[in-house]
Amino acid sequence: MVMTRQLISSNWGNIQPESVEEYAMAGGFAGLKKALSMQPDEIIAEIKTAKLLGRGGAAYPAGAKWEQLRAIPHSPKYIVCNGDEGEPGTFKDKMLLSQDPLRVIEGMTIAAYVFGSQDGYIYIRGEYLGIQKVFQQAIDNAVKEGYLGSRILGTDLTFNIHITSGAGAYICGENSALLNSIEGKPGYPRIKPPHLAEVGLFSMPTLVNNVETFSAVPTIVMEGGEKYLSYGTPDSGGTKLICLSGLSRRNGVYEIPFGVTLRDIIYGSEIGGGIARGKKLKFFHIGGQSGPCGTPDQLDTPYCYKALKSAGLSAGSGAIVVLDESVCIIDYLKGVTEFFIHESCGKCTPCREGNQKVHDILCKLSNGMAVEQDIALLKRLSSMMTNASFCGLGQSATVALDTCLKHFAEEFDAHLQQKCPAGVCFEEQERVAI
Amino acid sequence: MSHMNDADPNQPITVTIDGISVTVPAGTSILEAAKKVGISIPILCHHPDLSVRANCRICIVEAKGQRKFKTACSTEVWQGAEITTNSKTIREARKTVLELILAEHPRECLECIRNGSCELQKLAQDFGIKEVAFTPSRHVGELPIDDIHLAIVRNPNKCVKCGRCVEVCQEVQTVRAINTAHRSHRYEISTAFEKNLEETLCVSCGQCVAVCPVGALYEQDETAKVWAALDNPDLHVVVQTAPAVRVALGEEFGMEPGSIFTGKMVAALRRLGFDKVFDTDFSADVTIMEEGHELLERIQTEGTLPLITSCCPGWIKFAEEMYPELLPHLSTCKSPQQMFGALVKTYYAQKTGISPEKIFVVSIMPCTAKKYECARTEMNDSGYQDVDVVLTTRELAKMLKQANVSVRDLPEETFDDPMGTSTGAAVIFGTSGGVMEAALRTVYEVVTQKPLGNLDFTVVRGLTGIKEAEVELNGQTIKVAIANGLGNARSLLEKIKEGQVDYQFVEIMACPGGCIGGGGQPFGTTMAKKHERMKAMYQVDKKLPIRQSHKNPSVVTLYKEFLEQPLSHKSHELLHTGYASRNIDKEVKQ
């Protein structure tokens, strides 16, 4: 079986990223040229056939999203690319934006053709300041060469892409908060419905897709939905960029066809190559900080949306953090929760207050101050946060906690007895003992 | 796409709530639909007059087939929806939400200004909260209280971050003094650069106070000053009551909204020990005399038009800050409260032989901005501070409770002479359009020298944000406009500035609905209650024997004995004022 496949990563390191000439030489803009000869609905049909699921984390079918926006009669429609890659352990969009920006531009331009859009926005996280410059150069070059701007490739299509810089807030990766941020408002999520397809940027119909999703569009148009689908599994078309980090031997971004198992990813010689320093895998955190934690007995799960879901896992952003036995679950979850405490926008009660209280209880566990009721309280908090938070941030902040409570119940119990199997907690007590 | 968008907007929708079927118009929220079947879903951030925010998450419900809970305030019903508002899961989740809020909230209910009127306290009671499972994340009460503002105190420790105050300040009033700041556990309601409210553009309208569900925002409590004055045998303490107080005070004593409470209020004030119980309505009639003649003068001499009313101190500060270029449009008339103060310490002092320095003037106002107004340094034309202390409707209620006055059981009494005599025209000052109507009733007769047949100018009535009308005066058409709520005022002023409209007379009140919806009125004010109070105002007007300011016999006497005539030298000295730009962008402060 093929472990990796370069559909959208083929240009990385091989071309001058902002060079239109080199991008075109490598086959770039063929998708756009073909798209301009097709009917918009034909393009959407190909994307539907391709079973391209949103690569930002929510895995919403891109074809359905495009079809819904297409059905909305109002104009102008805006094309927005979510490049606010803030999910910890995720650095794939960084590669696409810096190594192959013209592919993203091409994908967005095809969308502009489908929806008759004149303006597109790409929201690039503030930490990628250098990449913003590369991307701007790529935009300027594309305009110069007639692939962007007015009368693209001699057609009636006029499309301009504007870069908006984030300022470091994770919440701005949430699509509605991202649109607020582009509008110059604070990055708080919006009440939905109305959905962004109907009332999006500047209250107009809007398409918001992730960098990786847009990057896949030229390939789908070029090769056809059928072909793209065949690279992956019957439910998850094509390839996925995964970001391996943590205590894996070969951390990095890999483009894998859907269907490769987690074992192949973590241990396969083409990808992770096993655990660093010969240690034993304890668990892996998949999909980002907002994703679930998995255990070694789940390693034979194929990496595709359906199989991951049935295993209680999820692809999320593509992040896979590998952790070995030296890591304490409680200590790890404290770190995860600290991230959400830092990044909660503060607007709704469950997320603003809940994350802090989760952290309080985890601290009690690692100090040896926790009692049995605290575990029940953790579960009560987590369930409420998942079901009652305003947006995806709060709703998924305790996914890792939930999976750990399930898989590592005995480690929580051990902490109730002031024992830390990984030897991370109770440092003070040990010192006293010595 | 959402199931909710598939619905025909005109088709009624049938849903099941806790097993009870109910049919409601499309677009109805779960919250409203539940009310129809006798279920009041708990709310905290929601307010009927404001937009839906869905921040607090206390109104969560379960919907069959939906993975996550739905917030009842923000979710519209859809055909066939099966909603559960009362299940173990929901009760437990709501309780967890409430406990999270309570964990950060100081438990000092007994000492809190909102004890008994607090929406959070009510929720804790309804939920049967006995203990809170979570520990506070910071030392309760560690945040500094901002209490140097003349009218409003901010206690961020008690804030539940519902966002109501931000919406009224930002969207409704467009003053934009307060906003949300920071994120996550540091998320709070604050001012730009976290300055004291006093240093912001706050106009003291108190609409933030009016919508605050807890004790995070409240007026400066000045009841102690009034008690001290009443207890001082050397002082002659007089009180004036604004028109809108009499139709709202009753609510503080369990009366229905819109109950006319004038007689009992007067009796109660006497019980408190005021030496004279006067009426701001008297000076509202004086205001009409002055402002009406000012309007005529401006029309006749082609002065700056439109003339804009100046009764409302919140509006005055807004104009000085945001529209200094329009200040020449403002009537130079002081507000009725300030005219009253200036007249008590001159005319009344002279008439009674009481030295003005011994006179202590208390105002009972539906308003927080009046506290700021009476402290404006120019408001001392009597030679003393014209009005000494302003109390809100709520503060008066508090004093009456402290004095053990069973207000509802008191016999009705009438105001003292001479400054307690008034007309129907003055009463309606308390509602949007009232000053306009009162002015028209007088101006018409002054101009035409003919008696006015129908005194009811119903075109200027109602709680609509911006109203326009044309009135025939002796063959001449006068174009008028009325705005209530500063956001509406802003829209109107922009048109005036751009020259898109040619009104001659404009009435502006800072609070939505006018003074009946003032920032000092009983807590829990809603549009529905304002409607009731407004109806009561027009009832009072209708029943009064005299309904035109120039026919107020005490006002006639005042001019005969003291002021000579409207816009006289003495009038100008005591009853008129000036304005100055407070716009730092347009005028650099030295």
Side-chain angles (χ1 to χ4, degrees), chain B residues 255-268:
Chain B
M255 305 284 287
E256 286 301 309
S259 301
I260 299 163
F261 217 53
T262 323
K264 290 181 192 293
M265 176 184 74
V266 172

Side-chain angles (χ1 to χ4, degrees), chain A residues 265-302:
Chain A
I265 292 170
I266 295 174
Y267 288 98
S269 57
E270 268 187 70
I271 311 178
I275 313 303
R277 287 170 283 140
K279 295 243 187 181
K280 220 173 113 198
L281 175 72
K282 181 171 179 178
F283 67 106
F284 53 90
H285 194 179
I286 185 166
Q289 297 285 283
S290 56
C293 292
T295 54
D297 59 2
Q298 293 175 304
L299 282 175
D300 290 320
T301 314

Side-chain angles (χ1 to χ4, degrees), chain B residues 174-453:
Chain B
T174 68
V175 171
R176 298 164 190 150
I178 51 173
N179 206 339
T180 55
H182 306 301
R183 299 193 301 150
S184 193
H185 56 292
R186 289 191 63 219
Y187 178 82
E188 62 172 350
I189 313 304
S190 190
T191 59
F193 309 109
E194 299 183 312
K195 289 189 170 186
N196 288 311
L197 198 57
E198 185 64 30
E199 299 169 85
T200 69
L201 294 176
C202 171
V203 301
S204 311
C205 71
Q207 286 300 302
C208 56
V209 173
V211 295
C212 182
V214 294
L217 283 160
Y218 49 96
E219 69 270 55
Q220 285 283 7
D221 182 344
E222 295 183 272
T223 53
K225 291 182 195 168
V226 178
W227 280 125
L230 290 169
D231 290 341
N232 184 344
D234 294 336
L235 288 180
H236 180 77
V237 189
V238 306
V239 64
Q240 58 166 326
T241 63
V245 175
R246 67 205 65 193
V247 293
L249 181 66
E251 292 167 35
E252 291 278 1
F253 298 93
M255 305 284 287
E256 286 301 309
S259 301
I260 299 163
F261 217 53
T262 323
K264 290 181 192 293
M265 176 184 74
V266 172
L269 287 165
R270 265 191 202 113
R271 292 282 181 99
L272 283 181
F274 286 103
D275 294 302
K276 289 287 174 190
V277 181
F278 288 145
D279 199 352
T280 314
D281 287 11
F282 165 80
S283 49
D285 281 330
V286 179
T287 303
I288 289 302
M289 297 302 288
E290 296 294 323
E291 198 163 293
H293 283 87
E294 186 183 4
L295 174 66
L296 290 175
E297 191 186 86
R298 289 204 194 191
I299 292 174
Q300 282 154 10
T301 62
E302 295 184 354
T304 308
L305 289 172
L307 176 71
I308 308 180
T309 60
S310 57
C311 308
C312 169
W315 147 238
I316 294 296
K317 183 147 189 263
F318 185 82
E320 289 177 325
E321 282 168 351
M322 318 273 185
Y323 291 93
E325 63 276 33
L326 294 181
L327 290 176
H329 288 268
L330 264 60
S331 163
T332 57
C333 289
K334 287 182 185 171
S335 71
Q337 135 156 306
Q338 292 304 143
M339 286 197 182
F340 180 92
L343 288 172
V344 165
K345 292 193 180 179
T346 54
Y347 172 64
Y348 174 78
Q350 220 173 68
K351 218 173 152 85
T352 55
I354 303 169
S355 163
E357 66 187 299
K358 300 273 185 208
I359 301 178
F360 192 87
V361 179
V362 177
S363 305
I364 312 296
M365 295 282 140
C367 180
T368 45
K370 291 281 172 190
K371 285 176 183 280
Y372 148 80
E373 182 186 41
C374 82
R376 283 178 68 124
T377 49
E378 71 274 21
M379 293 298 173
N380 60 357
D381 290 324
S382 64
Y384 304 88
Q385 182 172 327
D386 295 333
V387 171
D388 293 283
V389 176
V390 172
L391 299 183
T392 60
T393 309
R394 296 186 292 263
E395 284 173 281
L396 171 60
K398 207 158 32 174
M399 282 187 76
L400 292 171
K401 284 167 189 167
Q402 286 164 16
N404 318 310
V405 182
S406 303
V407 190
R408 287 178 69 164
D409 302 332
L410 295 183
E412 302 207 345
E413 294 180 13
T414 52
F415 289 104
D416 287 311
D417 283 333
M419 296 174 79
T421 314
S422 72
T423 69
V427 171
I428 58 174
F429 261 57
T431 181
S432 170
V435 178
M436 176 64 64
E437 183 167 349
L440 293 174
R441 287 180 191 176
T442 285
V443 168
Y444 179 89
E445 293 198 355
V446 172
V447 171
T448 63
Q449 299 290 325
K450 280 188 282 191
L452 188 58

Side-chain angles (χ1 to χ4, degrees), chain B residues 53-73:
Chain B
R53 278 173 302 281
N55 288 346
C56 75
R57 319 304 282 178
I58 204 84
C59 69
I60 42 176
V61 297
E62 281 181 287
K64 197 176 173 187
Q66 301 281 317
R67 274 187 311 137
K68 314 277 186 199
F69 300 145
K70 296 279 174 193
T71 35
C73 68

Side-chain angles (χ1 to χ4, degrees), chain A residues 68 169 188 191 195 198 341 343-350 352-353 356-357 380 386-390, chain B residues 1-2 4-5 52-57 67-69 96 99-101 104 135 137 180 183-185 187:
Chain A
Q68 286 150 13
Y188 298 129
I191 293 174
H195 293 276
E198 299 163 279
I341 290 176
E343 293 299 348
S344 165
C345 80
K347 179 184 165 95
C348 79
T349 313
R352 179 185 65 237
E353 309 294 345
Q356 291 182 81
K357 303 309 170 202
R380 169 148 82 100
T386 305
N387 291 306
S389 289
F390 190 100
Chain B
M1 188 131 338
S2 157
M4 293 149 214
N5 302 311
V52 170
R53 278 173 302 281
N55 288 346
C56 75
R57 319 304 282 178
R67 274 187 311 137
K68 314 277 186 199
F69 300 145
T96 308
E99 280 183 76
L100 286 175
I101 297 170
E104 304 300 322
T135 44
S137 61
T180 55
R183 299 193 301 150
S184 193
H185 56 292
Y187 178 82

